[in-house]
Amino acid sequence: MHKHGNFENLWVADHPVIDHKISQIRNVATDKRIFRDNVKQIAQMMSYAVTSELEVSQQSVETPITTYMAPVLKNSFPVIVPILRAGLAMADGLEEVLTESTVAHIGMYRDHDTLEAIEYLNKLPDLKDRDVILVDPMLATGNSAELAADMIMAKGADPKRVIFLVLLAAPEGVKHMASCHKDIRIMSATLDERLNENAYIVPGLGDAGDRCFGTE
């Protein structure tokens, strides 16, 4: 991961396998199974960067050879928060690496006339003193991301301990999040060109939820 030169709140992956898998899921001919598997695998690969700054402490461990002061996580494993339903495959990938994490679901949909995000589900626990990984494949306008971040903050989260993990980000969404939740770090597999007149990411990959689950 490297910090993007044009955005203070954006980090972008720089990895040939991630780039390859992103290209596969962009392809309109990629079927549901391969699409979902790739989304899951990209999230797994990015999990190492997302968790690289978690605090550690030392704990005495008895190995078969000796007693050793071993590094362990100082705090609980992060809470994984997928935005339904497109975020589910990413959450599955993260949970396979972060097996002790809690997964807390939030649901919203985009009003196609106003482009505003509308909440319909909130299963967030108390997030005070917790690390949080918010996941959604797409950061487009930033309206859904803003609402999700508002919901997380309302549960006591420290924005400096929240990472928003996405596959594709549009510059417009990155700027929007910088204006409303500047302390939340965005980690994206790639930064796309722009939004089109319908607020879809270009070149994008279409509707990630529909492509993950074979719906329209």
Side-chain angles (χ1 to χ4, degrees):
M1 283 279 186
H2 67 273
K3 191 171 184 179
H4 196 280
N6 295 332
F7 301 101
E8 286 294 316
N9 59 334
L10 177 66
W11 281 254
V12 180
D14 183 14
H15 195 287
V17 177
I18 290 177
D19 291 343
H20 176 83
K21 290 181 177 293
I22 288 290
S23 296
Q24 282 188 314
I25 63 176
R26 289 191 194 276
N27 190 333
V28 70
T30 296
D31 67 27
K32 165 174 78 78
R33 178 185 59 82
I34 295 174
F35 186 97
R36 186 177 171 87
D37 285 348
N38 277 9
V39 168
K40 180 178 175 180
Q41 291 161 13
I42 294 166
Q44 287 176 321
M45 293 181 69
M46 295 177 70
S47 69
Y48 297 96
V50 169
T51 57
S52 65
E53 295 184 8
L54 293 178
E55 291 188 69
V56 297
S57 60
Q58 301 293 314
Q59 177 179 299
S60 179
V61 171
E62 190 74 28
T63 80
I65 309 301
T66 187
T67 300
Y68 170 65
M69 291 304 293
V72 296
L73 288 184
K74 182 177 180 180
N75 303 306
S76 301
F77 271 66
V79 179
I80 302 167
V81 182
I83 300 177
L84 300 181
R85 60 192 165 130
L88 287 173
M90 294 180 69
D92 287 348
L94 290 175
E95 192 179 11
E96 287 192 5
V97 178
L98 307 172
T99 54
E100 297 177 47
S101 285
T102 298
V103 180
H105 301 89
I106 58 177
M108 61 188 69
Y109 63 90
R110 183 167 74 169
D111 185 300
H112 289 289
D113 294 323
T114 66
L115 303 182
E116 293 299 314
I118 300 173
E119 173 190 340
Y120 68 84
L121 179 71
N122 184 340
K123 288 291 186 179
L124 294 172
D126 183 0
L127 296 174
K128 184 179 179 182
D129 299 324
R130 299 296 302 271
D131 296 290
V132 179
I133 306 172
L134 175 66
V135 294
D136 194 11
M138 319 284 281
L139 173 56
T141 64
N143 292 334
S144 294
E146 178 184 3
L147 176 57
D150 289 344
M151 294 165 69
I152 288 170
M153 296 306 111
K155 289 292 186 175
D158 177 351
K160 293 182 179 179
R161 294 179 66 175
V162 177
I163 290 176
F164 185 27
L165 178 63
V166 301
L167 303 183
L168 308 183
E172 294 89 339
V174 176
K175 291 176 184 176
H176 184 87
M177 286 299 288
S179 69
C180 61
H181 288 287
K182 64 181 178 64
D183 289 328
I184 291 180
R185 288 172 289 168
I186 301 165
M187 292 191 172
S188 181
T190 188
L191 179 67
D192 273 17
E193 295 174 11
R194 59 184 173 83
L195 298 179
N196 66 13
E197 62 277 5
N198 297 314
Y200 285 102
I201 299 176
V202 178
L205 49 77
D207 187 298
D210 285 343
R211 296 195 64 192
C212 266
F213 298 103
T215 56
E216 294 183 359

